[in-house]
Amino acid sequence: MIGVFSTASDPVTVLFHPSTVPVIDVFRSLGRLEDQYDLALLDGPEQALTAYTHPEAAKAIVSDALLLAFALTRQRGQPFSHRPLRSRHGSLDEYCLMALIGSSRSPSSTELAFEAAAALGIQSLDFLSSLAGELIRQIDLGSVKFDAPTVEEFRAIAGDRRLFGGAIDEASSTSGFHFNS
C-alpha cells in the first residue's frame, strides 16, 4: 500500500501496489459472481496475476481469495465498499481487508488482525484467520508483492475513522479554512 488521500465520496482511499490489485479484484468480483455465478468473471484477476507469478500460483491465489471472500461476506452480513475492477485506488474496506490478510503472515500481527476485523465488523476470526493464512501463503509462494501495514499505520488510516466516524466524515466534506478565536 503506497499512500492515502481523500475524495468527496469516500474520505479514505488507498493506492495499492499493482500486484495487489488482481488479488483485491477477486473480492470486487464477488458481487457480480453471486448474481451470475459465472466463474469466468474470475479469469480477469487470474490473468492479471500471471504478470507477477506463474499460472499455477495465480490459480491458487484466486481460489483461496474466493474462499475467503465468501466466508467474509457470510460472516459480515453486509456488502463491502469496493472500487471498480483494476483500480489501484482502494476503499477503506479494501484496506482493512488487505491488512487482515497481510496480518496472517506473522503471529506477531495478532493485534493488527483483530483491529482490521473489528473495522470490518467481523466478530470471529477463528475460521477466517486460517483462510487468510492459506491465502497469504499462496501469495508468498507465488512471490507476489503484498505488504501489510504496521499497527500504527493501520490506526492512522482506519483507527481514528472507526472511533470518530461521523465527525471525520463531516469535517472531510467541508472545505475552507476554519479559525478558532
Side-chain angles (χ1 to χ4, degrees):
M1 288 157 262
I2 297 175
V4 180
F5 59 92
S6 295
T7 64
S9 62
D10 189 354
V12 176
T13 301
V14 178
L15 187 61
F16 291 120
H17 186 276
S19 65
T20 304
V21 174
V23 176
I24 196 68
D25 277 351
V26 173
F27 294 90
R28 291 170 174 166
S29 298
L30 187 61
R32 292 189 351 216
L33 182 65
E34 288 176 342
D35 292 340
Q36 302 174 26
Y37 204 74
D38 182 6
L39 292 177
L41 293 171
L42 298 173
D43 289 345
E46 186 176 321
Q47 186 64 37
L49 269 171
T50 61
Y52 304 100
T53 190
H54 52 89
E56 296 81 23
K59 186 177 290 300
I61 291 168
V62 168
S63 176
D64 285 346
L66 187 60
L67 287 173
L68 179 60
F70 279 127
L72 281 167
T73 302
R74 184 169 183 227
Q75 192 173 110
R76 184 172 179 187
Q78 65 183 13
F80 287 88
S81 169
H82 289 295
R83 296 283 189 236
L85 287 173
R86 295 178 295 283
S87 174
R88 286 187 63 198
H89 297 184
S91 68
L92 181 60
D93 279 352
E94 292 169 342
Y95 175 76
C96 293
L97 177 61
M98 294 296 106
L100 179 66
I101 294 166
S103 70
S104 301
R105 184 177 277 133
S106 168
S108 65
S109 298
T110 319
E111 189 174 7
L112 176 61
F114 282 117
E115 290 195 27
L120 288 169
I122 305 297
Q123 304 302 320
S124 172
L125 279 176
D126 296 337
F127 180 61
L128 294 177
S129 61
S130 65
L131 291 174
E134 187 57 30
L135 175 56
I136 200 67
R137 188 178 77 75
Q138 294 296 339
I139 289 169
D140 290 345
L141 285 172
S143 300
V144 175
K145 183 172 178 51
F146 193 96
D147 296 328
T150 65
V151 173
E152 293 77 19
E153 290 168 338
F154 182 82
R155 287 176 182 158
I157 294 170
D160 289 343
R161 182 168 162 50
R162 193 177 73 235
L163 296 173
F164 308 109
I168 289 176
D169 290 343
E170 181 182 315
S172 68
S173 66
T174 59
S175 61
F177 294 99
H178 302 279
F179 299 99
N180 294 329
S181 41

